[in-house]
Amino acid sequence: MIGPTPWRVVYKPTDRRREAARVHPCALARAGQRCTPRDLAAPNTMVWDHCHTHGYIRGPVCGYHNGRMRHYDKGNERYTRDPEYIDYARRCSGCAEPW
């Protein structure tokens, strides 16, 4: 289970003051492991994932997991039933339950 988010700030893509996501490990990486690039078009891309409903940052994720969270946010059943994604999505302080 993933703990609460230390990033209780609203996502602003133009905010240059926030530290780069690349300095953090992927929040959805398995314990003790690092995410490896699965897409040659975006190797080692780290981004700040955020809740599209409330705008709060959930955490730093690799490009691969960012794509998975996009599917989760759209309600794709393959991802909305996965406990790992459910726990991670609850990092948004505005979400009582996964949407």
Side-chain angles (χ1 to χ4, degrees):
M1 184 166 208
I2 299 171
T5 178
W7 304 283
R8 293 212 169 181
V9 293
V10 175
Y11 178 79
K12 294 180 200 166
T14 57
D15 189 355
R16 302 288 180 216
R17 295 170 295 161
R18 186 173 47 244
E19 66 182 308
R22 70 179 174 271
V23 301
H24 299 281
C26 178
L28 280 164
R30 302 255 185 233
Q33 295 180 346
R34 301 190 101 184
C35 291
T36 56
R38 295 180 170 100
D39 181 359
L40 295 177
N44 295 326
T45 300
M46 292 293 290
V47 297
W48 289 112
D49 176 53
H50 66 285
C51 170
H52 288 256
T53 303
H54 302 103
Y56 292 114
I57 292 176
R58 293 186 285 218
V61 294
C62 67
Y64 174 78
H65 282 119
N66 190 44
R68 296 296 190 243
M69 286 309 296
R70 236 180 273 131
H71 289 293
Y72 179 93
D73 289 341
K74 290 180 180 179
N76 184 320
E77 284 188 33
R78 179 177 175 192
Y79 303 99
T80 57
R81 293 183 180 184
D82 185 325
E84 182 178 16
Y85 292 112
I86 291 170
D87 285 345
Y88 175 74
R90 288 183 179 157
R91 284 180 156 204
C92 170
S93 58
C95 291
E97 294 183 8
W99 52 104

